[in-house]
């Protein structure tokens, strides 16, 4: 296959995604798993990123507990729990079990329409959810510093002032 396969018009699968979130070793809020991959890469000129499969499995890989299948749009590279569904033993819930090990799996699909080679290999990353007693700090990313971000009341638009923390 390789370069010779490209010369013959055979589709090559996309590159295996690089998981960038959750970060390795980070304790995860059971209600807020942040899932992200690096950019889509495909060796075939013209193949574009059609969609992504995201899955969360128990640490033993015996049960898939959350999934969003072939999601498009910006969620191809960055998705959230609300973009998928809990299933199996977590069906009907909205978060993972506290203080539990899980595995995130993700793969990218190209636009070739070639069933045997349109999907990348799976990437996986183990993660651990924090205990129910853990308080997780608010994290804000990708926020412009100018103009300065402000919190406002939803009715009336008055400024909200929060006390400083430790």
């Amino acid at each position: 296959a390789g370069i010779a396969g490209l010369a013959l018009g055979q589709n090559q699968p996309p590159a295996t995604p690089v998981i960038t979130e959750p970060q390795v070793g980070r304790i995860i809020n059971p209600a807020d798993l942040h899932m992200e991959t690096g950019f889509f890469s495909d060796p075939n000129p013209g193949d574009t990123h059609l969609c992504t499969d995201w899955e969360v499995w128990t640490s033993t890989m015996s049960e898939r507990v959350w999934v969003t299948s072939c999601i498009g749009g910006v969620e191809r590279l960055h998705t959230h729990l609300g973009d998928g569904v809990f299933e199996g033993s977590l069906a009907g819930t909205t978060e993972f079990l506290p203080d539990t090990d899980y595995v995130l799996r993700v793969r990218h699909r190209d636009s070739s329409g070639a069933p045997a080679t349109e999907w990348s290999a799976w990437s996986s990353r183990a993660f651990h959810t924090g205990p129910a007693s853990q308080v997780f700090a608010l994290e804000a990313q990708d926020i412009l510093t100018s103009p300065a971000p402000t919190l406002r009341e939803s009715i009336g638009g008055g400024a909200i002032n929060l006390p400083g923390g430790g």
Side-chain angles (χ1 to χ4, degrees):
I3 302 287
L6 289 175
L8 297 174
Q10 295 174 347
N11 187 64
Q12 301 298 306
T16 304
V18 174
I19 297 173
T20 56
E21 291 283 342
Q23 294 174 357
V24 174
R26 186 169 201 180
I27 302 299
I28 303 300
N29 180 334
D32 190 23
L33 173 62
H34 186 214
M35 297 168 277
E36 190 173 295
T37 70
F39 291 107
F40 173 81
S41 177
D42 192 292
N44 303 94
D47 280 0
T48 59
H49 190 179
L50 182 65
C51 63
T52 300
D53 279 353
W54 301 87
E55 302 179 341
V56 175
W57 288 72
T58 58
S59 63
T60 60
M61 300 299 290
S62 60
E63 181 187 19
R64 190 173 73 178
V65 295
W66 181 90
V67 64
T68 187
S69 183
C70 201
I71 193 167
V74 297
E75 289 81 11
R76 293 175 302 184
L77 298 177
H78 179 149
T79 199
H80 297 93
L81 293 179
D83 297 321
V85 295
F86 283 90
E87 60 184 15
S89 61
L90 295 183
T93 66
T94 58
E95 60 186 61
F96 298 106
L97 297 175
D99 201 19
T100 303
D101 293 320
Y102 292 100
V103 176
L104 169 67
R105 289 181 6 127
V106 60
R107 65 180 180 170
H108 290 163
R109 183 180 186 186
D110 71 27
S111 60
S112 69
T117 56
E118 64 190 345
W119 287 101
S120 71
W122 287 97
S123 283
S124 62
R125 170 141 322 148
F127 67 94
H128 185 84
T129 56
S133 60
Q134 184 167 345
V135 175
F136 291 88
L138 173 65
E139 294 183 24
Q141 295 178 335
D142 301 330
I143 295 177
L144 297 175
T145 57
S146 179
T150 58
L151 292 174
R152 301 224 175 258
E153 296 283 349
S154 59
I155 298 175
I160 298 173
N161 294 312
L162 300 175

